[in-house]
Amino acid sequence: MSSTRLCRDQHTELGRLMAELRAATDATPAVEARPLAPLLEAFAGKLRAHLAHEDRVLYPRLIAHEHEQVRLTARIYQAEMGRLGESFEAFLARWSAPDSQKADPAGFRRELAELLARLDLRIRREDRGLYALVERVESAVTNPDGGASQE
């Protein structure tokens, strides 16, 4: 199994939750008309777990990887995207109280959309860039003939 499989699976789940958040905020004219707290809590839990796994397990492993391009790419991605968790926690601190969402529903929607767009970009870049690279390298190691059949 690929060392990136868990993260890809988490990305899929985060994408599903992001779609639900977008639908919940887009479908109603007033944020308070739809209870977002349970959805935000579920999303927060999944995102925190994913970022913790990346920070504590995946990125340290990739930064120490034997393949130079994996090490370099992991360092670049980590430097570019390292503040997403902090941005999310700041968002939650500002908007977790229902009254704050009611007081400025447009601000809440705007900040949520910006945060989700940043997260979506990060997920796409990791999936298509870093994780794809790791999977190619792992595949070459486990299947050095490139998958050619020996018939």
Side-chain angles (χ1 to χ4, degrees), residues 2 16 36 45 65 75 78 102 108 113 116 123-124:
S2 168
R16 184 187 67 74
L36 292 177
H65 199 277
R75 282 189 195 107
Q78 187 178 48
K102 289 178 187 177
F108 171 77
L116 294 180
I123 287 171
R124 284 186 283 121

Side-chain angles (χ1 to χ4, degrees), residues 7-62:
C7 286
R8 282 193 182 273
D9 291 345
Q10 290 173 337
H11 281 178
T12 299
E13 179 64 9
L14 286 167
R16 184 187 67 74
L17 291 169
M18 288 189 305
E20 287 184 30
L21 278 168
R22 286 181 178 117
T25 56
D26 291 346
T28 57
V31 170
E32 68 272 11
R34 181 146 174 129
L36 292 177
L39 189 53
L40 273 175
E41 288 172 18
F43 180 71
K46 296 284 184 182
L47 182 60
R48 286 174 178 140
H50 174 70
L51 293 175
H53 175 75
E54 282 187 339
D55 290 347
R56 295 181 189 142
V57 178
L58 183 67
Y59 274 90
R61 187 178 335 149
L62 297 181

Side-chain angles (χ1 to χ4, degrees), residues 95-117:
W95 299 106
S96 61
D99 290 342
S100 63
Q101 296 170 23
K102 289 178 187 177
D104 186 8
F108 171 77
R109 280 193 183 92
R110 182 184 65 255
E111 284 192 42
L112 179 62
E114 290 168 2
L115 183 69
L116 294 180

